Amino acid sequence: MSIPVTQLKGVGARTAEQLARLDIYTVDDLLFHLPMRYEDRTQVVPIRFLQTGQLGLIEGRIESVEVKQGKKRILSCRLSDATGIVALRFFHFYPNQVKKLQQRPLLRCFGEVKEGYQCLEMVHPTYELIEEVQESELLKDHLTPIYPSVSNFNQTQWHSVMKQALLIELPELLPEKLLLHLKLPNLNQALKIVHQPLPSERLTEIDPSTHPARRRIAFEELLAQHLSLRALHQHSQQHTAPIFEPENDLVQRFMQQLSFDLTKAQQKVIDEMTTNLHQAKPMQRLLQGDVGSGKTVVAALIALQAIAAGYQVAIMAPTELLAEQHKNTFAEWFEPLGLKVTWLTGSLTQKKRRNALEDLILGITHIAVGTHALFQDDVKFDKLGLVIIDEQHRFGVHQRLALRDKGKQGDMYPHQLIMTATPIPRTLAMTAYADLDVSVIDELPPGRTPVQTAVVSDAKRDHVIQRVHASCKQGKQAYWVCPLIEESESLQLQAAEDTAQHLTERLSDLKVGLVHGRMSSKDKELVMQQFKNAELDLLVATTVIEVGVNVPNASVMVIENAERLGLAQLHQLRGRVGRGAVESYCLLLYQAPLSKIAQERLGTIRDSTDGFFIAQKDLEIRGPGEVLGTRQTGVLNLKVADLEKDKGLFAEIPQAGQWMLEHYPEQCEQLIQRWIKKGFRYGVV
Ligand code: ADP
Ligand code: MG
């Protein structure tokens, strides 16, 4: 049982409220709130040994006190010990304070050391009068932890509550055998070290997150996450789901009308899924496949299995543009088979929406294609058997569950297929997506010509414009992408509009179009359609075209401010070209000067077209937060562990989790209880 923080001395309702803002409700939560850094106040430093830039604790006598009058009043004191003199400066002070210092007391002082006019100085140091202190706030026997905080809750308060919390021993949930194997300390040792480290732990000198004590806690958290996702998976397997028929007339007719053969990789993932789909348990599968690897046709084949078994299918895409494209593809593929494709997004007229909803609930619709609008409350299906989510690796687990529950009918859950073009390295997937089975399409359809990529300084913009012009004159089409560089969408829009206007003027013999996120879906579609029909030569776009848009004749892409984009995102953007047989190229424009990391990253994109390799590199250079897109949405809700810094721990997690489940099921449950907040726990969601 965990103890509520309100049982600690000095934690009343108000304090509890402040702590709640940091998700701290229990003593466990409190102890897992780790310091961000440490200060060494365990030793008094002789003034002569102070170094600028350093935080230092000194002791000495006040020699002189002076208040400079002027526009701004400044209190300056000189403090000396046997080895030297330091100036102390204060910009905010009380008359009382001056009076006290004028009595030339012995002072203990902590602050950052700076270069001064005549001697070193400290600006606004914390200090105490040695004669007055009972228990020194400044001179400590362990390093002083500094906690991330919310306003009004200061470090002294943190120290006070932590001190009390540390008197409470938390139950050890990791077996000793495991700790020995991993060479990690036990929990209470680890907590003691992170909250009250001795100077010998050297935590002011090293990155605290690399210390074994902290890794111990991070490991426990990652393990708890993993176990919770697995429990979730197990839990979902207790539900029933429809049984599909892998071999059926629809599938055969579809294959006959398809103009290409499936690749081996496509066939493989279909087989993997089919195994799920003719059991009466809900499939929860993540399908990874590089841009252009042909995920859509895989989705179609699975959808046909559902439809043949008498169920409806919902396909959701993150943007209207992508949804639109799927609608067209599926209409083209499925309508000749006599199937009803229904379109549902937020921008439908009342009347069309009403018709669509009616088709869904009456079971007239075989497959519904749309955006998030598909999962609004008033959308009801007759017999939903399969939910497909495209390009949505940024979904957290609770969103996946919410979607799943939408499709629930009685005790029957639909199967779920999540498709992503962002390859996620296996160990990471095992941690972040342990509730999903993973399939990978690891080969591209034949006949693709790799895109030639060059990295070009923005200073050569004119040259780039000429090159684009020449290509378009040869009948090729081009994208000019202005990605998000400003936080604000309107500024981004401005940049795209300016670029479009500029290019229109410069290239007056070309037809230039503009598409951006603020346009109505109708206008977007119109422009995209014009581009598809080759009525436009050059399409200026914000990143709305990031994923999925398919225009085979587009074979040139310019990406501005490429150095600001993630590799995965660049790779996806670039995947818009090179879809036809023509030779394609991609120009990455950057603003000089490029940092070393940026050079390395752009070099990776230039030299490789392999999405998995690129993702692996991105993982190495920028870390998993970037790869998973956790920065934006928090795929995992981590308190202590850092996907980036603790990536070394991932490899151990799946095996440790398996072993724990087999031998220590009770502890597994307790780990989940301890770490996973209620709202995220299965059964509650
Ligand atoms: P993505 O995986 O990026 O969603 P798509 O499903 O849009 O890729 O497929 C990209 C293109 O490749 C489409 O034009 C599709 O028709 C085509 N394609 C898919 N599978 C094959 C295949 N086995 N052989 C040839 N072309 C294919
Ligand atoms: Mg796609």
Side-chain angles (χ1 to χ4, degrees):
M1 253 331 275
S2 42
I3 302 168
V5 279
T6 42
Q7 304 238 324
L8 299 177
K9 215 174 57 201
V11 182
R14 265 185 57 111
T15 308
E17 215 170 275
Q18 306 245 29
L19 291 173
R21 282 166 60 190
L22 293 165
D23 261 345
I24 297 173
Y25 303 95
T26 64
V27 169
D28 298 38
D29 295 339
L30 186 64
L31 287 171
F32 293 140
H33 186 72
L34 302 194
M36 48 189 177
R37 62 185 172 84
Y38 300 88
E39 288 171 355
D40 189 351
R41 303 187 198 168
T42 60
Q43 284 183 61
V44 173
V45 183
I47 289 175
R48 189 156 63 90
F49 294 130
L50 287 179
Q51 283 171 7
T52 49
Q54 190 190 38
L55 289 167
L57 181 68
I58 53 176
E59 272 180 21
R61 191 169 287 283
I62 293 288
E63 297 293 344
S64 65
V65 178
E66 187 187 354
V67 177
K68 286 199 186 108
Q69 302 291 348
K71 236 194 209 157
K72 268 195 173 168
R73 298 192 323 145
I74 303 176
L75 167 63
S76 294
C77 313
R78 288 163 82 84
L79 176 127
S80 72
D81 69 3
T83 68
I85 291 186
V86 171
L88 312 177
R89 298 195 199 286
F90 301 86
F91 300 104
H92 313 282
F93 52 92
Y94 302 104
N96 205 6
Q97 198 178 348
V98 180
K99 235 185 254 164
K100 274 208 168 145
L101 291 172
Q102 277 167 343
Q103 291 163 10
R104 301 189 168 195
L106 268 177
L107 218 59
R108 192 175 285 144
C109 224
F110 182 80
E112 188 180 342
V113 183
K114 296 203 162 125
E115 203 72 58
Y117 286 122
Q118 289 148 5
C119 56
L120 294 179
E121 56 179 51
M122 285 184 178
V123 179
H124 268 288
T126 341
Y127 70 85
E128 58 195 16
L129 273 54
I130 291 177
E131 288 111 66
E132 284 187 1
V133 293
Q134 310 269 322
E135 187 187 359
S136 172
E137 259 307 308
L138 292 182
L139 185 61
K140 303 283 189 185
D141 50 11
H142 54 76
L143 298 178
T144 305
I146 307 294
Y147 293 94
S149 194
V150 283
S151 58
N152 293 336
F153 203 69
N154 64 35
Q155 293 300 322
T156 315
Q157 288 171 292
W158 279 115
H159 297 159
S160 149
V161 291
M162 287 298 183
K163 199 167 156 188
Q164 295 180 61
L166 279 171
L167 297 175
I168 299 163
E169 296 240 315
L170 299 188
E172 177 61 72
L173 298 178
L174 300 188
E176 204 179 325
K177 224 167 154 183
L178 182 63
L179 293 177
L180 277 174
H181 168 69
L182 296 168
K183 300 192 175 65
L184 293 174
N186 74 40
L187 182 62
N188 290 302
Q189 278 170 351
L191 287 170
K192 177 92 179 143
I193 293 175
V194 295
H195 290 294
Q196 296 185 341
L198 293 175
S200 56
E201 303 289 347
R202 305 164 71 86
L203 276 163
T204 51
E205 291 154 54
I206 59 168
D207 174 356
S209 62
T210 62
H211 193 284
R214 186 171 187 127
R215 287 181 56 230
R216 159 66 175 78
I217 302 167
F219 180 83
E220 186 177 311
E221 179 176 35
L222 289 173
L223 185 64
Q225 287 279 352
H226 173 83
L227 289 170
S228 140
L229 289 171
R230 285 183 64 161
L232 193 66
H233 185 66
Q234 265 227 314
H235 193 71
S236 77
Q237 293 308 293
Q238 289 160 9
H239 297 296
T240 45
I243 296 179
F244 295 165
E245 304 165 29
E247 299 300 327
N248 64 68
D249 180 49
L250 274 178
V251 168
Q252 266 158 30
R253 278 161 57 209
F254 175 73
M255 288 306 290
Q256 274 160 17
Q257 73 169 33
L258 199 62
S259 61
F260 50 78
D261 294 326
L262 296 183
T263 61
K264 265 207 211 95
Q266 285 170 322
Q267 192 56 58
K268 180 195 69 187
V269 300
I270 289 171
D271 291 346
E272 284 168 6
M273 285 186 238
T274 304
T275 322
N276 285 139
L277 298 172
H278 61 220
Q279 294 168 3
K281 291 175 186 167
M283 171 173 83
Q284 303 264 91
R285 194 171 280 273
L286 180 70
L287 174 62
Q288 299 185 22
D290 208 345
V291 204
S293 61
K295 294 185 288 295
T296 319
V297 72
V298 170
L301 279 158
I302 299 301
L304 288 174
Q305 295 188 19
I307 295 167
Y311 289 91
Q312 292 171 301
V313 178
I315 300 192
M316 189 184 86
T319 65
E320 293 234 349
L321 206 60
L322 282 172
E324 194 105 39
Q325 184 174 287
H326 276 325
K327 181 197 68 177
N328 296 335
T329 306
F330 281 94
E332 192 182 309
W333 280 346
F334 283 10
E335 277 168 6
L337 302 174
L339 301 180
K340 169 80 179 168
V341 180
T342 294
W343 169 234
L344 193 68
T345 69
S347 59
L348 285 190
T349 61
Q350 281 291 341
K351 189 160 166 244
K352 283 192 175 158
R353 182 178 158 79
R354 213 171 326 122
N355 287 341
L357 293 185
E358 214 169 272
D359 288 351
L360 291 180
I361 184 99
L362 293 178
I364 296 169
T365 303
H366 293 101
I367 181 163
V369 186
T371 55
H372 277 85
L374 273 174
F375 293 95
Q376 272 158 12
D377 280 341
D378 58 340
V379 179
K380 302 244 160 40
F381 289 82
D382 176 37
K383 252 180 115 182
L384 182 62
L386 171 67
V387 173
I388 301 173
I389 303 165
D390 192 17
E391 311 288 4
Q392 267 299 32
H393 64 286
R394 279 165 193 175
F395 257 30
V397 55
H398 43 294
Q399 288 158 304
R400 292 201 291 274
L401 289 177
L403 278 186
R404 187 199 66 184
D405 289 354
K406 284 261 171 204
K408 182 181 167 202
Q409 279 173 329
D411 187 41
M412 186 87 104
Y413 282 90
H415 297 284
Q416 217 177 63
L417 172 62
I418 295 162
M419 308 200 288
T420 174
T422 305
I424 301 158
R426 213 185 83 88
T427 50
L428 187 56
M430 292 288 280
T431 309
Y433 294 109
D435 62 322
L436 302 177
D437 295 319
V438 178
S439 287
V440 181
I441 305 181
D442 52 7
E443 128 188 68
L444 291 183
R448 300 270 164 85
T449 8
V451 181
Q452 301 292 326
T453 304
V455 179
V456 187
S457 160
D458 191 62
K460 296 204 179 126
R461 203 183 173 83
D462 267 343
H463 182 75
V464 169
I465 294 174
Q466 281 164 23
R467 217 176 137 184
V468 170
H469 181 248
S471 297
C472 289
K473 277 292 157 197
Q474 288 167 16
K476 294 180 174 178
Q477 286 171 279
Y479 292 105
W480 190 292
V481 184
C482 309
L484 179 80
I485 49 163
E486 305 286 350
E487 284 305 314
S488 118
E489 199 187 342
S490 59
L491 282 176
Q492 179 193 14
L493 183 57
Q494 185 66 44
E497 278 174 344
D498 289 350
T499 306
Q501 186 173 3
H502 179 70
L503 290 172
T504 310
E505 284 161 16
R506 283 286 307 272
L507 306 170
S508 54
D509 56 340
L510 294 184
K511 279 168 282 167
V512 181
L514 171 64
V515 63
H516 58 73
R518 284 274 183 91
M519 287 162 73
S520 73
S521 68
K522 210 163 160 195
D523 290 343
K524 264 188 275 185
E525 190 191 14
L526 201 72
V527 177
M528 286 313 295
Q529 206 54 51
Q530 285 174 339
F531 191 60
K532 268 192 178 176
N533 299 345
E535 291 157 26
L536 295 172
D537 303 296
L538 177 62
L539 184 63
V540 178
T542 55
T543 37
V544 290
I545 59 150
E546 183 183 338
V547 279
V549 179
N550 197 18
V551 182
N553 190 47
S555 52
V556 178
M557 175 171 284
V558 179
I559 304 176
E560 295 206 53
N561 298 103
E563 78 278 12
R564 311 263 190 109
L565 293 178
L567 290 190
Q569 204 182 7
L570 284 171
H571 179 64
Q572 297 221 333
L573 280 168
R574 182 174 58 180
R576 300 308 109 221
V577 294
R579 298 208 148 201
V582 276
E583 177 93 11
S584 303
Y585 63 88
C586 174
L587 303 175
L588 304 175
L589 285 182
Y590 65 87
Q591 303 281 348
L594 271 188
S595 71
K596 234 182 121 75
I597 287 187
Q599 278 177 34
E600 196 185 334
R601 295 176 58 246
L602 292 181
T604 302
I605 280 283
R606 181 191 57 217
D607 300 337
S608 172
T609 51
D610 176 344
F612 274 84
F613 176 77
I614 289 169
Q616 187 59 42
K617 274 282 170 202
D618 214 10
L619 187 66
E620 283 162 24
I621 303 173
R622 295 221 294 187
E626 216 63 51
V627 178
L628 283 175
T630 39
R631 296 260 149 96
Q632 292 90 337
T633 53
V635 167
L636 287 179
N637 219 29
L638 295 173
K639 261 172 93 74
V640 175
D642 180 317
L643 285 181
E644 199 152 330
K645 289 178 172 159
D646 295 317
K647 59 187 170 195
L649 295 174
F650 294 159
E652 303 285 348
I653 298 285
Q655 212 188 348
Q658 183 61 34
W659 182 76
M660 288 282 293
L661 279 171
E662 280 167 23
H663 298 93
Y664 299 89
E666 218 162 278
Q667 276 88 331
C668 291
E669 187 47 44
Q670 288 171 309
L671 279 168
I672 296 172
Q673 297 271 348
R674 177 184 276 174
W675 283 97
I676 313 298
K677 283 275 163 270
K678 265 208 204 71
F680 292 93
R681 242 172 250 160
Y682 71 88
V684 184
V685 182

